[in-house]
């Protein structure tokens, strides 16, 4: 993912250097470069940004006052040749403060702080009925290989001693891996349920429930254990239509 950033500096050489650093960082996307805060304010009306790298000592409107005027400021990294601005910069919750002249290593430190702050502020994705767990995947070791398994592709999981069989929709042979049932159960989303000491089923794959077993197809019947019957029946009741 790339984060949109704006560079502001009234000195052409300093602005050029700042832009070159931004372009070297793979997770930053430069959306504009301005030589004044007034110019930047106009650009922000049309271009949303995630962060601003902004000089402080500029004519007309200095960087500090510019940031204070923003109603909902993005993340700010101040750049300046004057160290006395540092304390004031942190008062406006600046992510970092780069003292000129600074090199690429110093810039990368500030860029990584921006990235960390932005990642921390983003909410975790919520599964939907359409995308849900089907877009998620796990990696398991099998036959001295590490293979990727789409969670939505799993029909059911069968436990056998210390091993698990992952029965998949996409292939006839199960993936066999050395793994504890409980560990995998904790990783699976809500559309998977343990129905027996030896079985976890993808609830979306169930075609029929007959007495004490679930039927996935004409050849696949899974038992419902006594310890898990109440939870499974509650699931059925929450989706049952009829008398």
């Amino acid at each position: 993912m790339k984060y949109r950033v704006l560079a502001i500096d009234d000195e052409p050489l300093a602005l050029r250097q700042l832009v070159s650093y931004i372009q070297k960082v793979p997770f930053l996307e430069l959306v504009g470069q301005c030589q004044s805060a007034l110019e930047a304010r106009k650009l922000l009306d049309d271009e949303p940004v995630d962060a601003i790298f902004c000089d402080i000592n500029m004519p007309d409107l200095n960087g500090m006052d510019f940031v204070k005027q923003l109603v909902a400021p993005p993340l700010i990294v101040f750049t300046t040749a004057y160290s006395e601005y540092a304390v004031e910069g942190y008062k406006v919750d600046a992510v970092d403060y780069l003292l000129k002249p600074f090199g690429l290593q110093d810039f990368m430190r500030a860029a990584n702080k921006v990235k960390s702050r932005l990642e921390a502020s983003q909410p975790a994705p919520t599964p939907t009925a359409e995308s849900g767990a089907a877009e998620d995947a796990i990696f398991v070791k099998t036959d001295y290989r590490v293979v990727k398994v789409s969670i939505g592709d799993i029909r059911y999981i069968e436990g056998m001693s210390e091993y698990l069989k992952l029965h998949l929709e996409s292939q006839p042979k199960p993936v066999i891996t050395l793994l504890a049932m409980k560990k995998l159960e904790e990783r699976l989303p809500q559309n998977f349920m343990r129905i027996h000491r030896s079985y976890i089923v993808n609830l979306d794959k169930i075609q029929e429930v007959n007495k004490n077993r679930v039927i996935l197809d004409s050849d696949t019947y899974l038992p419902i254990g006594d310890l898990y019957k109440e939870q499974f029946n509650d699931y059925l009741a929450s989706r049952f239509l009829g008398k």
Side-chain angles (χ1 to χ4, degrees):
M1 180 176 183
K2 287 198 171 188
Y3 298 106
R4 296 164 57 84
V5 300
L6 173 64
I8 311 171
D9 200 306
D10 66 309
E11 299 176 9
L13 290 177
L15 182 60
R16 193 178 309 152
Q17 183 70 74
L18 181 57
V19 166
S20 73
Y21 286 162
I22 291 172
Q23 292 172 336
K24 286 180 171 69
V25 181
F27 55 82
L28 296 183
E29 176 188 352
L30 182 70
V31 297
Q33 49 183 300
C34 303
Q35 287 189 252
S36 76
L38 296 177
E39 181 185 350
R41 196 157 59 185
K42 292 179 182 178
L43 186 145
L44 288 173
D45 289 337
D46 301 314
E47 295 285 351
V49 301
D50 298 302
I52 298 175
F53 290 84
C54 181
D55 186 24
I56 293 179
N57 193 29
M58 295 185 292
D60 298 325
L61 180 63
N62 72 46
M64 193 70 66
D65 291 335
F66 163 68
V67 170
K68 290 177 180 178
Q69 290 178 8
L70 297 176
V71 176
L75 298 186
I76 304 295
V77 175
F78 283 120
T79 65
T80 184
Y82 303 95
S83 59
E84 62 266 24
Y85 285 115
V87 174
E88 192 176 354
Y90 287 114
K91 285 182 179 178
V92 295
D93 196 28
V95 174
D96 207 349
Y97 180 93
L98 292 171
L99 187 63
K100 298 178 183 179
F102 54 86
L104 180 58
Q105 186 175 356
D106 293 324
F107 180 83
M108 281 299 304
R109 183 197 71 228
N112 281 317
K113 284 184 179 181
V114 168
K115 181 173 182 283
S116 296
R117 185 86 71 89
L118 288 168
E119 287 177 343
S121 67
Q122 291 176 356
T126 302
T128 64
E130 295 181 357
S131 60
E135 294 182 358
D136 203 358
I138 55 175
F139 288 85
V140 296
K141 190 173 183 180
T142 179
D143 295 331
Y144 304 101
R145 299 176 296 132
V146 175
V147 298
K148 181 180 180 181
V149 177
S150 170
I151 290 180
D153 192 30
I154 300 173
R155 301 178 69 218
Y156 68 99
I157 297 135
E158 181 182 2
M160 9 175 255
S161 187
E162 299 177 344
Y163 290 82
L164 297 180
K165 282 185 178 180
L166 278 60
H167 296 266
L168 307 180
E169 195 90 55
S170 60
Q171 60 187 59
K173 290 186 178 180
V175 173
I176 301 176
T177 184
L178 179 62
L179 189 64
M181 179 80 86
K182 185 168 181 58
K183 186 172 182 180
L184 180 57
E185 185 180 6
E186 291 172 350
R187 174 65 179 80
L188 295 171
Q190 291 182 351
N191 57 315
F192 284 80
M193 182 180 291
R194 192 164 185 172
I195 59 169
H196 188 275
R197 182 171 56 86
S198 300
Y199 292 101
I200 295 174
V201 67
N202 184 339
L203 297 169
D204 296 336
K205 308 296 184 182
I206 295 175
Q207 298 299 316
E208 186 178 338
V209 179
N210 190 333
K211 297 183 179 178
N212 289 327
R213 61 184 182 176
V214 298
I215 301 172
L216 304 188
D217 56 46
S218 59
D219 299 316
T220 310
Y221 300 76
L222 304 180
I224 302 171
D226 291 336
L227 292 176
Y228 305 92
K229 190 179 298 182
E230 183 177 352
Q231 181 186 10
F232 184 72
N233 285 339
D234 287 345
Y235 163 77
L236 286 182
S238 69
R239 287 159 178 77
F240 185 78
L241 296 180
K243 296 182 179 179

